[in-house]
Amino acid sequence: QVVFALNQTLLQQESLRAGSFRILYTTEDLIKHYNCGDLSSIIFNHDTSQVPNFINATLPARERITAQEIESYFRQELIYKRNERMGRRVKDLLEEHPDKSFFFAFGAG
């Protein structure tokens, strides 16, 4: 899976460099829409979580399965588990210090 992911990443980078692949949105686009409070924008309906996207229609069936497994793993490890850890930490802080005020900031991802 690591070799597959590395190969797909390199292919995407080569396509970007050659101009045959275009990113749908830039980091600047995300920042602009976020700052304008436009979280329902079409740009935020795409996967903006920086989880690599290895799935594409040109992959053979076996490689598509591998890509789906990798994507699922990344989403679980990088998004869901992170959110659970953050939630537990916030909850623990609030319970340990009930008389204290806190300010928490979370990203759009």
Side-chain angles (χ1 to χ4, degrees):
Q1 286 183 341
V2 172
V3 171
F4 174 83
L6 180 59
N7 283 333
Q8 290 301 310
T9 301
L10 291 173
L11 286 171
Q12 284 181 6
Q13 292 302 312
E14 289 168 356
S15 295
L16 276 171
R17 189 171 283 172
S20 60
F21 177 74
R22 190 176 71 80
I23 295 177
L24 297 174
Y25 50 83
T26 65
T27 301
E28 289 79 24
D29 293 330
L30 295 175
I31 292 168
K32 183 182 106 188
H33 286 278
Y34 180 82
N35 284 337
C36 291
D38 190 12
L39 297 180
S40 63
S41 166
I42 190 68
I43 204 164
F44 281 95
N45 289 331
H46 293 285
D47 183 3
T48 58
S49 63
Q50 303 302 312
V51 174
N53 183 16
F54 299 125
I55 301 171
N56 66 59
T58 63
L59 290 175
R62 183 142 178 86
E63 288 185 1
R64 198 171 312 121
I65 291 169
T66 300
Q68 289 169 334
E69 290 170 351
I70 292 170
E71 188 174 273
S72 175
Y73 172 80
F74 277 138
R75 187 164 309 286
Q76 182 67 33
E77 294 299 316
L78 298 178
I79 303 297
Y80 300 137
K81 285 188 178 179
R82 177 207 59 189
N83 290 350
E84 289 173 4
R85 280 191 306 274
M86 274 194 305
R88 277 194 306 273
R89 289 176 182 161
V90 167
K91 179 182 169 283
D92 290 346
L93 276 171
L94 294 172
E95 288 176 350
E96 288 172 19
H97 308 282
D99 297 330
K100 205 171 193 183
S101 294
F102 290 93
F103 174 82
F104 299 102
F106 303 97

